[in-house]
Amino acid sequence: MNKSLVPKIRFKGFNDEWKKYKLNDIGLFFRGLYNKTKADFEINNSNFYYVTYTNIYNNSFIKIDSLKYVNINNNEKQNRLIKGDILFTMTSETYNEVGLCSIFNSDIDNVYLNSFCSGFRIINIKAINSIFLLFLLLSIQYREKIIKMANGFTRYNLSKKLLLNLQVKIPNIIQQNKIADFFTIIDRKIELIKEQLILLEKQKQYYLNNMFANEKSYPKIRFKGFNNEWKSKKIKEILNYQQPTKFIVKDKIENQGKIPVLTANKSFILGYANEKNIYENIPVIIFDDFTMDMKYVNFKFMVKSSAIKILKSKTNNINLFYVFNLLKNLKLFSSDHKRYYISYVSEINVLFPNINEQTKIAHFFTIIDRKIELIKEQLNLLEKQKQYYLNNMFI
């Protein structure tokens, strides 16, 4: 048996070799919406819908609840989507995002495709399972082939002609159906976990909005047994700040090392270093003086930028994790490239409860955050499992 025609992982009972085809042998490409104006997409209600670029980019299966309205006139000849159409991103700002695909797997009528994408329609649906083909095209070996087809400088584009010549290896329809069902189940599990995560993050935001007081009112939600008035304080009365001069990493930041190197923005851990000037007086809040991004840190660290301020509780009557959530709830944002902490943030007045109520609230958000982290870990594991199978169940 030719090993190049057999995947590394197969379902039990399947032993035959896969056959070679070109996409041109099994289907045809069609264009998205054309000759449309901005006004056609600005309507709020219509009997016609279109699939956005981001809907394709973010999902293996097109989300029907994310369809947008479009105006289609009676005399227009546009390509309407049918169930099983595979949709490609044909243009992108980066190589890695071009040629991603998703499947329109619904019977909804009057749905069209955006102008920056193309659709692929299988000719013989009895011989080719469109969901199988979708996941084959998302596997690492085919993603690498598709990315190499992209051309451009500031923007990368795919040619339908090149894609039609893409050679794919496909088993019999029974195996296709089995593999398609397998990945459909994994994808549905991932979507359910994402929905749990979104719901929990919304719940957290609801409590953030209602468990902290502002200058005009006390919190709407309080734990039973707490009735004391909250006191007005400035942030600088609550927190000390420190410049991180001694703790800025000088060596090369690597993937492996002893001490994490932090930033206050989304990436958080930039890498690791093996230097000796380590910040150990934890917990603290690290605060970016320019962006006003912040992170709560309860482990030893170093930083990359002098723009970081290290914030610490002034007294034992301050629960730092409570203050962190309070600051996050202020929804601080920067509009200019300037330093904000001393001139603005430290002068903000907040209503502040006693230490017992702070601790109760902080513990409540600790539990929510831990649940969110567990769901994220579960999601990350499932996505890694999906990628593993994508890399090994296709050839």
Side-chain angles (χ1 to χ4, degrees), residues 30-92:
F30 58 90
R31 70 192 300 183
L33 291 165
Y34 60 97
N35 292 335
K36 305 302 292 178
T37 67
K38 185 179 179 181
D40 288 315
F41 299 95
E42 292 178 340
I43 57 176
N44 295 320
N45 194 13
S46 170
N47 292 323
F48 303 97
Y49 310 88
Y50 76 99
V51 177
T52 64
Y53 184 101
T54 54
N55 202 337
I56 298 169
Y57 178 83
N58 291 325
N59 305 294
S60 300
F61 292 83
I62 292 299
K63 285 187 174 293
I64 302 305
D65 58 2
S66 296
L67 296 177
K68 302 295 184 182
Y69 293 116
V70 63
N71 179 53
I72 304 290
N73 297 319
N74 292 332
N75 59 348
E76 285 189 68
K77 293 182 179 180
Q78 301 283 359
N79 295 307
R80 189 176 64 185
L81 298 182
I82 64 173
K83 187 175 183 178
D85 285 344
I86 297 174
L87 313 179
F88 285 81
T89 59
M90 300 299 289
T91 180
S92 173

Side-chain angles (χ1 to χ4, degrees), residues 213-269:
N214 57 40
E215 293 180 3
K216 296 180 180 179
S217 65
Y218 288 101
K220 294 178 181 178
I221 298 174
R222 296 184 79 175
F223 288 104
K224 188 176 180 180
F226 293 102
N227 303 302
N228 294 335
E229 289 188 3
W230 291 28
K231 296 180 179 180
S232 179
K233 294 179 181 289
K234 287 186 176 182
I235 296 298
K236 67 182 181 182
E237 298 178 67
I238 300 167
L239 300 176
N240 284 319
Y241 77 87
Q242 181 178 356
Q243 292 296 132
T245 309
K246 293 190 297 184
F247 312 107
I248 296 176
V249 67
K250 296 176 183 177
D251 287 347
K252 184 179 178 181
I253 300 173
E254 301 177 349
N255 290 330
Q256 292 183 345
K258 293 182 180 179
I259 305 302
V261 180
L262 306 183
T263 177
N265 63 30
K266 189 175 181 180
S267 54
F268 192 27
I269 298 179

